[in-house]
Amino acid sequence: MGVPSVDWQKGDALHPETFAHIFPEVDGVVHTLGTLIANSSYKQAIKRGDILGLLGSLRDSVVGGHGNPLERPTSEAVRGSYDVLNRDTALRVCEAFVTSTDTRTQNFPRPFVYISAEDIFRPVIPARYIETKREAEQGIESLLDGKPGYRGVYIRPSLVYHAHHRPLSTPAAMLFDLSATLHTKAPPSLPTPSSVLRHIGACLQQGQTSTSPLESIANALTIPPIHVDHVAMAICAVLNPDNPVRGVIGVRQMRELIGWMEHGAESSLSEKLHNHRV
C-alpha cells in the first residue's frame, strides 16, 4: 500500500453491500479479481521464481490435489474456485455498479472493465478457467444490455510478463514473442504450426460446441505476450471518456490503444525489456 493518492477501501466482492456505497461517485470500475489456477499458491511461486512450487500448483490443478475425493470441499475452497473468483465476483460487482445512481457526469457512459484472458493456456490449465472468463463476459454484457449509461470492456491479455515481479514469465514470453513474430512474417501460402494445429483441432471437434485444446495452443503460438505495465496502460486508456471503446479488447487492440504500433512495425520483446529496465 503506502500510496498517498489512493483511497483504499475494504469490501467483499461477493457481498456488494460492503462497497456499493462507493459506486455513485466513481467514473468507472475495473474488476481484476480472478485466478489462473484454483490453487492460489501459484501466485507466490511465480513471484519467488519457484519453479517446483509452480509445477506443484499446476499438478494439483490438473489432478485435483491430494484430498479425499469423497470429502465435500470447504467454504474456503469454494470461494477460491474458478466459478466464484473468475465469474461470480465479477457479476456481483457489476450488478451493484449498474444499479447505483451516477452522481457524476465526467465519464458517460461509465465503463465496467473486466480483466478476462485470451484462450492460450489449455490443456496445461483446466478448460474451466477460460470457460468461466467467457461466462463472466456474457453475464456482464447481459447486465449492461439496455443500459445506455454503461459500457462493458473486456480486456483479454495473453501471457502477462514482468522481468522482476514475474521472473518465471520472461523466458516463456520471449519464446512466445518469437513464435508470434515468425507466424506474422510467414507467407500466407506456407503451412505454419498454428495453422496445422487449428486444422487438426477443427477435424477432431466436428459437431461439438467447444473448441479443441489444439486451438488454444495455436493461439499461444500466434498471440504475442504483453507486459503487465502495458495492460495497465490499456486499461487507463479505455477509462478515458474521450476513448469510449466497448467490447472485447485483445492484445493487438491494447497495443493500438497505448500507441505501441508505429508505422506498421512492432518493437521486439528484448527492446521492451530493456526499456523497462532503464
Side-chain angles (χ1 to χ4, degrees):
M1 305 296 181
V3 182
S5 59
V6 175
D7 179 16
W8 298 99
Q9 300 281 340
K10 184 177 180 179
D12 186 331
L14 294 174
H15 297 280
E17 67 275 8
T18 62
F19 56 83
H21 62 280
I22 304 171
F23 286 156
E25 300 180 359
V26 303
D27 294 325
V29 170
V30 180
H31 187 85
T32 64
L33 185 59
T35 187
L36 179 64
I37 303 174
N39 180 354
S40 61
S41 63
Y42 80 95
K43 296 182 179 180
Q44 292 302 319
I46 292 177
K47 289 182 179 180
R48 294 193 307 266
D50 181 1
I51 296 179
L52 293 179
L54 177 60
L55 292 176
S57 295
L58 287 171
R59 177 204 61 207
D60 291 347
S61 178
V62 173
V63 304
H66 303 290
N68 184 349
L70 299 179
E71 184 178 336
R72 296 183 63 182
T74 64
S75 59
E76 182 178 353
V78 172
R79 285 178 65 91
S81 68
Y82 289 127
D83 288 25
V84 173
L85 283 181
N86 291 351
R87 183 195 62 203
D88 296 349
T89 58
L91 297 182
R92 299 294 81 77
V93 174
C94 186
E95 286 172 350
F97 183 49
V98 299
T99 56
S100 63
T101 302
D102 184 7
T103 61
R104 306 174 65 175
T105 58
Q106 290 93 330
N107 200 357
F108 184 88
R110 293 198 294 173
F112 185 90
V113 183
Y114 174 68
I115 309 304
S116 187
E118 292 281 10
D119 181 10
I120 63 169
F121 296 110
R122 293 182 295 150
V124 177
I125 300 299
R128 196 62 191 142
Y129 165 75
I130 197 65
E131 289 170 356
T132 51
K133 289 287 190 180
R134 296 295 178 265
E135 289 169 4
E137 292 179 4
Q138 296 167 6
I140 292 167
E141 199 64 17
S142 296
L143 290 170
L144 301 182
D145 185 37
K147 295 180 173 60
Y150 300 88
R151 56 185 171 97
V153 183
Y154 312 103
I155 301 291
R156 289 186 182 178
S158 52
L159 175 65
V160 179
Y161 67 91
H162 191 290
H164 306 301
H165 299 311
R166 294 181 171 186
L168 289 179
S169 64
T170 303
M174 296 188 73
L175 291 175
F176 284 124
D177 185 73
L178 175 61
S179 173
T181 301
L182 293 175
H183 275 82
T184 300
K185 296 182 180 300
S189 58
L190 180 67
T192 60
S194 65
S195 64
V196 173
L197 288 171
R198 293 186 201 279
H199 177 72
I200 297 174
C203 293
L204 294 176
Q205 296 296 112
Q206 285 185 357
Q208 301 186 36
T209 56
S210 61
T211 60
S212 167
L214 296 178
E215 180 77 17
S216 182
I217 298 174
N219 291 339
L221 294 175
T222 56
I223 302 175
I226 186 167
H227 194 280
V228 64
D229 289 352
H230 293 163
V231 177
M233 292 167 63
I235 293 171
C236 291
V238 303
L239 290 172
N240 189 333
D242 295 329
N243 190 22
V245 298
R246 62 177 70 227
V248 173
I249 304 295
V251 171
R252 289 179 174 85
Q253 291 90 338
M254 281 187 261
R255 288 178 167 182
E256 293 172 0
L257 283 169
I258 65 177
W260 209 56
M261 309 281 281
E262 295 182 4
H263 308 297
E266 300 178 5
S267 303
S268 68
L269 180 55
S270 60
E271 291 174 344
K272 296 192 289 292
L273 287 172
H274 173 74
N275 292 336
H276 278 282
R277 293 191 185 104
V278 175

